[in-house]
Amino acid sequence: MKVKKWDIIIIALFVLLSFVPVGIFALTVAGNEEADGVYAVVTVQGEEYKTIKLTGHTGSEELLVRTELGMNLLRVVDGKVMMFEADCPDQVCVYQGAASKPGDTIVCLPHKVVVEVKGTVPDKDQTDITTN
């Protein structure tokens, strides 16, 4: 069987196209600054209000969320976020404590404020199967 010029061109084209998904994945991860670490997403009335990076956060920072429904004061201390103060009648959000792990949530129903911790925490016990 004789190999023709177009056979080589088609094979080379397929080899080059096989790298397209790798390039798309690399661009997607590079464009997502929140891909590494843990961060808190503050949502007010279903709209994203602010994103706060928790990984590597040191010191204390406060975020005042004031809407027509009321006021909430969030405090970020050393990688943990908490609802420090609110003027809602039940104060359930204040008593929920600090959130720092992905999946933790703080909710203030009267003011429609949700603080959700997202991201990934590297597992120190897990060994990479490609490098051992």
Side-chain angles (χ1 to χ4, degrees), residues 20-43:
V20 170
V22 174
I24 292 172
F25 178 74
L27 289 175
T28 303
V29 171
N32 186 4
E33 68 273 359
E34 296 157 352
D36 295 332
V38 178
Y39 55 97
V41 178
V42 181
T43 307

Side-chain angles (χ1 to χ4, degrees), residues 4-130:
K4 298 178 183 173
K5 177 180 158 184
W6 282 104
D7 293 338
I8 294 172
I9 292 173
I10 290 173
I11 291 170
L13 184 64
F14 281 137
V15 168
L16 289 175
L17 287 175
S18 70
F19 289 103
V20 170
V22 174
I24 292 172
F25 178 74
L27 289 175
T28 303
V29 171
N32 186 4
E33 68 273 359
E34 296 157 352
D36 295 332
V38 178
Y39 55 97
V41 178
V42 181
T43 307
V44 179
Q45 297 180 4
E47 300 287 325
E48 187 173 318
Y49 184 77
K50 185 166 182 166
T51 301
I52 305 165
K53 188 156 177 83
L54 298 178
T55 301
H57 187 279
T58 56
S60 180
E61 175 184 348
E62 290 186 348
L63 173 66
L64 180 65
V65 179
R66 188 178 298 273
T67 66
E68 66 274 359
L69 299 173
M71 179 276 304
N72 295 78
L73 180 64
L74 295 168
R75 184 173 283 174
V76 182
V77 179
D78 297 330
K80 296 179 182 180
V81 63
M82 68 182 84
M83 189 76 66
F84 187 72
E85 187 179 325
D87 62 0
C88 57
D90 58 7
Q91 298 287 301
V92 172
C93 56
V94 176
Y95 297 122
Q96 285 181 333
S100 62
K101 295 180 288 213
D104 288 349
T105 306
I106 301 171
V107 179
C108 181
L109 284 177
H111 298 162
K112 298 181 182 174
V113 175
V114 177
V115 180
E116 186 177 6
V117 179
K118 297 182 178 183
T120 57
V121 177
D123 188 6
K124 295 179 181 157
D125 295 334
Q126 185 177 359
T127 305
D128 187 4
I129 60 171
T130 57

